[in-house]
Amino acid sequence: MKPSKSRTYGGRLIAMITLVDALSSCWFGYCQGVFAGVLVSDNFKAMFPQVLDANISGIASSCFFLGAFVGSITAFIAGDKLGRRKTIAWGLLFNLIGATLQFLSWHLPQMIIGRLVNGFGIGLTSTMTPVFLSESAKSHLRGKLVGIGASCNVTMFALANWISYALYSNGGPFQWRFPLSFQVIFFFMIAPLLFFVPESPRWLLLMGKEGDALEVLARLAGKGVPEDDMTVTAEFRSIKGAIELEREDRTPLMDVICFRDKTHNFRRLILSCGTQFMQQFSGINALGFYLPTLLTENVGFDQERSRLIAAVSSTVYLVSAFGSLIVIDRFGRRKMMLYGAIMMGFCHIIASLSLRESEVDVSKRKLMGNVATAMFIVYHVFFGTSFASVPWVYSAEVNSLGWRTRGAAAATATNWLFGFVVTQFTKAGIDRLNWAFYLIFGVICFSFFPIVFCFYPETSNRTLEDMDHMFIQNPSIFVFGSAEMTQRRRPASFMDAEIARIAMV
């Protein structure tokens, strides 16, 4: 697909690319939130009685994640060949087909196929839009702009829960068909934007299209900025120099996997996948898909109150996620993950022990149920200000240019794969372990602190080309104690390395 001949420049162009990422994330978040309300709909359960079985219910929910996992792997394989815009366009088309199959479903297999196809499309878009934006934005804005997408994800997650609550009194098929059909609107909001935005300049340089890349860099710099402007040519040379250095160090795949390449591409891929693994095993989707069910069956609330609490919780989550935009570049990625791990762990532990106490002493069931509910809501505050956005930003930043699509795809695939695992086994886990199920998430969250502290370098306030230099100069897998790897400010040595790259070209 070719972009429109009309020209948008500077801040407006970045705003349009940010909008592509944000609206794609809206669709992603809506898909995550909408099925929780569908599953508790009486008409849905009457039409598809198979979902009364916990395992079938798990499959109907988690197959979306399985489709998204396949979509992410497809982006891993074909993303660099297709380019950023084409991959996003294909993802939108699959989203539209999958959404249509779902809201028109009359049989459970059709619903599952629709969720698989919808998931496949979301896997493509959720992999590529953060990469597209991160490759176009300036380093001092990158965290906030990619974070906007993660926050928009939460916005639509909240909207899906409020729609579910608003339709509580409607007992017919409209109660679940309308929420599933509503998501089609996102296709008609995002698709036209793709005709007005150019390809990523870094992808164009990676493909050897130097003239096109220079033109896009000039457009991103602002209206009337010529292609021979000193700032534009300096950025062009820095990116080109990083690509040339990377190609000089190109090593066989087995050497990369065995950590024998200078730029540590496989280590960086593991780090980006790790952030997404931590996001899923913090328990967010265990609550996102099953909080109304948990509050009804384990806490003892009626269905209306459970839907209301889920909607309120998602709204708290929304406010917290947007709050993270204020601090994500100010405090850096490491500090946000460290604080989030500890606070989420405490929330799970307190909620779990409260549920246990309500089982031991029935007279305290209402009080302890309220405590557990409060902890689940507070959990969303801490998740929203940490792991809601950081993994998406981190995986779009830490990988080298040649591995950025593959790294982001592998990270997103990790998110979807373990989202599938968590969602598939949450209902069965709650039924069998009761209060102890969330105790497991608490222990896992606490384990994230030493992992992040020991192994995760800071990526904020670095250019994307700084990342190669950072890993070349600091080959140890342990980052604590190294100022270059952990400080929030951009180290002076990185600035010197950039000057050297520019001089080389």
Side-chain angles (χ1 to χ4, degrees), residues 437-505:
F437 184 71
Y438 286 94
L439 189 65
I440 295 171
F441 284 120
V443 173
I444 291 173
C445 283
F446 284 135
S447 74
F448 297 158
F449 187 93
I451 293 171
V452 172
F453 183 79
C454 292
F455 303 112
Y456 276 80
E458 183 57 68
T459 59
S460 65
N461 294 307
R462 277 85 164 149
T463 68
L464 296 179
E465 288 66 48
D466 282 342
M467 302 301 170
D468 284 349
H469 177 78
M470 183 167 72
F471 282 93
I472 290 170
Q473 296 301 314
N474 300 273
S476 172
I477 64 171
F478 297 103
V479 302
F480 64 93
S482 170
E484 281 194 350
M485 297 295 275
T486 58
Q487 71 182 40
R488 186 185 63 83
R489 295 186 306 275
R490 189 185 185 196
S493 64
F494 291 9
M495 301 178 199
D496 295 338
E498 182 176 25
I499 294 170
R501 282 197 303 272
I502 294 170
M504 282 175 51
V505 179

Side-chain angles (χ1 to χ4, degrees), residues 389-456:
S389 56
V390 172
W392 299 103
V393 176
Y394 201 91
S395 60
E397 291 176 329
V398 74
N399 293 286
S400 66
L401 180 55
W403 278 72
R404 189 163 298 131
T405 297
R406 284 173 283 185
T412 308
T414 301
N415 180 288
W416 294 119
L417 176 63
F418 289 105
F420 168 78
V421 172
V422 170
T423 308
Q424 174 64 32
F425 295 109
T426 290
K427 185 63 169 67
I430 294 172
D431 289 347
R432 289 171 173 78
L433 299 177
N434 297 312
W435 64 271
F437 184 71
Y438 286 94
L439 189 65
I440 295 171
F441 284 120
V443 173
I444 291 173
C445 283
F446 284 135
S447 74
F448 297 158
F449 187 93
I451 293 171
V452 172
F453 183 79
C454 292
F455 303 112
Y456 276 80

